[in-house]
Amino acid sequence: MKGSVKGLVSSSVSILLLSSLVAACSSNSGPQGNGATSATPSTTPSTITATPAPAKTAAPAAIKIFNRVNATVVVEKNPVIAEAEKLANVKLEVEAPPINNYVDKLQVLMASGDLPDLIYNWGGADANMEKWAQNGLLVSLDDKIKNYPNLTKNITKEMWDAVKSVNDGKTYIIPRTNIVNHWGYKVNQQWLDKLKLKAPTTLDEFTNVCKAFTNNDPDGNGKPDTYCVSFSNPTLGANTIWNASNFLTSAFSLPVVNGAKDTDGAYKIREKMSGYIPYLTYLKQLNDEKLIDPEFLINKIYVDQEKQNQNRIGIIYAHQYSVMANLSNDKDSDKKYTYQPVLKDSKGVASDWVTPAMWGGWMIAKNSKNIDAVLKFLDWGNTTEANTLFQVGLKGLTYESYDPATKNITRTADQTTKLASVTSTYMTLANAIDGNGAIIEGADSLERLNIYKTQADAALKQMTVINVPAVRSPKILNLNSSIPDLVKKKDDQELKYITGNITLQQFKDFLEKEWNPATADAEKEYVEYMNKVAK
């Protein structure tokens, strides 16, 4: 699919349905959990049933959609999309920018004012959504949601509460439910084996592996062209060091999400947490010793994964599904890589911060003439029928047999190739039903299912799951809009410190003289909010 796909789709042409994979994602792309703590495949089929299709005599509802779809999927004359149109009785017009510049395209679209009916926002109920709602671009959905049984059943109260506007308390976005992702890291196991090393579990072990991956020619090509670790930036206006690093910040007891306590048991903004300066100082050490990918500051989404698949990077952040999901990019992924837990802190605790299981959400344009039809379509999307269609595909075309209880699926080589061109988890309206996906992406054999389960179970046994509530404290969430220049300056100061362009004292002076005073009111509101929620 080229840079953008836009076109009118007939009943056999397009839908746009969406991470993480992630993979995933999210932000909290799916560290994305609402209390579930096990990665073991469900053995109980979902109880949610499909909304009865409208009478065949009813005209298909015309819906325009804007969403991110992975580049391997061909939306034109797509048989899975055609089946979805038939089952949901819709006719879809889709614009589908590629994932790596979707956020940029979304900004342009929303600024134009010429909006489609249904719009996917990767960041969920973020500052962008708040701005668009305040500008009158989005419809408030509170009075309508109760009329759609699958939306109210599959999307939990915790999720609905997590997306309410911090400005007026209304609902402008429908959560895209996700599986619970446990974010750790994905390591090149072949490099570890060659260098006779084990996957690191502590910061000291991580440092030793970093030095070996960078200096000891793990790929055996005789060239100094490998690095230990890299990051990537999935959103606008956020440093890569926060978006893809919780496997490493855990060693400093530093959560990368709002809503978690510091080591002294108190709630604070990140910049005042005990692990904040030590973590940045450690990144500076990696950078000084040239152990980190020198392009980590500018990597866009999934560039770190691409570099790992090219044998340039040894370690990137990942959740438990990443090794198998990466098979679509590297056919030997299950042989080359292993999923590992976050690093342990100085007390031996590997903190797994888990937020509500959402992967962004769906916004409906206020000027849409088909609001109820769009909601009915999303209601169908939150059924087992829809989830299975988009994750598994069509029997005879993308698979031979499928057992929903065990998630075991058999495919021929041709069917595996076909699957990548017609659907993926990015194509789902809801990526989980009752908290479970239809499949373990990429695990299309019992052998791969066992590899997935073995690695996930081993990682979860080492981690301490900390369920973090969604934070809806207005001032802390609106910093990007209330003090945008200072937020940008703070991001720049962090990177300047890591890269050696300012001293530690200069960085601390900025925090004490500019950042802390400017965020004092927001921090006070945030602390009061969290203490109230925690009771």
Side-chain angles (χ1 to χ4, degrees):
M1 180 171 60
K2 295 184 179 180
S4 167
V5 175
K6 185 174 183 179
L8 196 59
V9 294
S10 65
S11 61
S12 63
V13 182
S14 273
I15 187 174
L16 176 141
L17 306 143
L18 185 129
S19 237
S20 147
L21 120 26
V22 98
C25 197
S26 142
S27 322
N28 294 323
S29 83
Q32 302 158 10
N34 58 340
T37 59
S38 173
T40 304
S42 170
T43 57
T44 304
S46 168
T47 58
I48 291 181
T49 56
T51 301
K56 292 185 179 180
T57 55
I63 299 174
K64 295 181 180 180
I65 311 175
F66 189 89
N67 188 27
R68 52 197 282 271
V69 176
N70 44 317
T72 59
V73 174
V74 179
V75 297
E76 298 290 336
K77 298 181 180 179
N78 185 305
V80 171
I81 289 172
E83 181 70 8
E85 291 187 311
K86 181 177 71 174
L87 293 172
N89 197 37
V90 292
K91 191 172 184 178
L92 302 154
E93 182 180 340
V94 179
E95 187 172 354
I99 291 170
N100 60 1
N101 69 351
Y102 178 78
V103 177
D104 297 321
K105 296 290 186 180
L106 177 59
Q107 292 283 349
V108 173
L109 173 78
M110 300 305 292
S112 73
D114 183 17
L115 304 182
D117 301 287
L118 186 60
I119 306 154
Y120 177 71
N121 188 35
W122 196 353
D126 59 4
N128 284 324
M129 185 217 74
E130 298 284 4
K131 175 183 66 177
W132 297 326
Q134 285 188 310
N135 291 343
L137 298 177
L138 308 178
V139 66
S140 171
L141 301 167
D142 298 88
D143 294 337
K144 293 180 175 293
I145 293 169
K146 63 181 181 294
N147 299 322
Y148 298 94
N150 294 313
L151 293 181
T152 57
K153 184 174 183 181
N154 193 42
I155 301 172
T156 66
K157 180 182 183 300
E158 181 185 33
M159 295 176 189
W160 287 118
D161 290 344
V163 300
K164 288 187 180 299
S165 170
V166 296
N167 295 315
D168 60 18
K170 295 181 179 179
T171 304
Y172 295 98
I173 191 166
I174 294 177
R176 181 171 182 260
T177 58
N178 197 22
I179 51 183
V180 179
N181 286 335
H182 298 277
W183 291 94
Y185 67 91
K186 179 157 65 79
V187 61
N188 191 316
Q189 187 64 42
Q190 292 180 341
W191 287 9
L192 288 175
D193 293 342
K194 179 182 177 181
L195 300 175
K196 295 180 171 54
L197 296 169
K198 294 182 179 180
T201 61
T202 67
L203 192 63
D204 287 343
E205 291 173 358
F206 185 85
T207 304
N208 290 335
V209 168
C210 274
K211 292 177 179 178
F213 277 5
T214 304
N215 301 322
N216 295 353
D217 193 25
D219 61 349
N221 67 356
K223 300 177 182 179
D225 57 357
T226 58
Y227 293 95
C228 168
V229 65
S230 190
F231 304 116
S232 70
N233 185 3
T235 59
L236 292 176
N239 287 339
T240 58
I241 58 174
W242 302 118
N243 287 324
S245 59
N246 51 312
F247 72 93
L248 190 52
T249 66
S250 61
F252 301 90
S253 302
L254 178 65
V256 296
V257 293
N258 288 325
K261 294 179 179 179
D262 197 4
T263 52
D264 61 0
Y267 291 106
K268 305 170 187 175
I269 58 173
R270 178 192 293 155
E271 293 76 19
K272 289 185 179 179
M273 286 192 164
S274 59
Y276 176 69
I277 294 295
Y279 168 64
L280 296 180
T281 301
Y282 181 72
L283 290 186
K284 183 179 186 302
Q285 174 189 334
L286 293 182
N287 189 69
D288 288 347
E289 297 182 25
K290 301 186 186 306
L291 304 178
I292 193 170
D293 169 24
E295 298 174 336
F296 78 97
L297 298 179
I298 59 173
N299 285 340
K300 288 192 174 183
I301 183 64
Y302 299 143
V303 169
D304 54 342
Q305 179 175 288
E306 292 172 4
K307 290 180 177 179
Q308 189 179 54
N309 288 337
Q310 294 164 357
N311 279 338
R312 297 165 60 190
I313 304 298
I315 294 173
I316 64 172
Y317 89 128
H319 53 61
Q320 72 270 27
Y321 301 96
S322 298
V323 171
M324 295 303 165
N326 188 52
L327 283 163
S328 61
N329 303 306
D330 185 334
K331 63 181 179 61
D332 295 321
S333 182
D334 57 329
K335 301 178 181 64
K336 290 174 61 176
Y337 308 112
T338 57
Y339 161 70
Q340 301 292 337
V342 299
L343 299 182
K344 298 175 183 178
D345 62 20
S346 59
K347 296 181 179 179
V349 178
S351 297
D352 176 21
W353 296 287
V354 176
T355 56
M358 300 179 292
W359 191 1
W362 300 97
M363 307 178 298
I364 301 178
K366 191 171 184 178
N367 63 0
S368 171
K369 297 179 181 178
N370 299 305
I371 293 173
D372 289 323
V374 173
L375 285 167
K376 185 177 291 186
F377 178 55
L378 290 172
D379 194 67
W380 172 79
N382 278 263
T383 66
T384 300
E385 177 183 72
N387 185 249
T388 302
L389 172 65
F390 285 103
Q391 290 196 4
V392 179
L394 296 169
K395 187 173 183 178
L397 179 70
T398 61
Y399 70 95
E400 287 296 313
S401 64
Y402 166 62
D403 182 351
T406 64
K407 302 188 190 301
N408 185 34
I409 186 166
T410 59
R411 292 188 173 104
T412 65
D414 289 342
Q415 288 169 340
T416 299
T417 300
K418 189 65 175 178
L419 177 73
S421 68
V422 298
T423 194
S424 76
T425 54
Y426 285 88
M427 296 279 283
T428 57
L429 285 169
N431 201 44
I433 306 300
D434 291 339
N436 296 291
I439 59 170
I440 306 301
E441 185 178 4
D444 54 2
S445 69
L446 286 175
E447 179 185 8
R448 285 174 171 168
L449 278 172
N450 287 333
I451 292 173
Y452 157 79
K453 188 176 185 304
T454 298
Q455 293 180 8
D457 287 350
L460 283 168
K461 286 179 181 178
Q462 297 180 58
M463 295 190 289
T464 299
V465 173
I466 302 171
N467 288 302
V468 180
V471 175
R472 306 306 293 161
S473 177
K475 290 181 180 179
I476 204 74
L477 296 178
N478 285 336
L479 288 179
N480 282 332
S481 57
S482 62
I483 52 171
D485 292 340
L486 190 59
V487 170
K488 184 179 186 306
K489 184 175 181 180
K490 193 269 297 182
D491 287 346
D492 290 342
Q493 291 285 300
E494 289 173 340
L495 299 183
K496 285 181 179 179
Y497 172 55
I498 292 170
T499 55
N501 291 300
I502 61 173
T503 65
L504 176 58
Q505 189 58 52
Q506 288 174 315
F507 181 53
K508 286 182 175 180
D509 287 345
F510 162 76
L511 293 173
E512 293 171 4
K513 295 177 181 179
E514 297 186 56
W515 181 254
N516 292 342
T519 58
D521 287 344
E523 182 184 27
K524 181 176 182 294
E525 179 192 73
Y526 165 65
V527 171
E528 290 175 351
Y529 173 89
M530 289 309 305
N531 284 329
K532 182 179 179 181
V533 170
K535 290 182 180 179

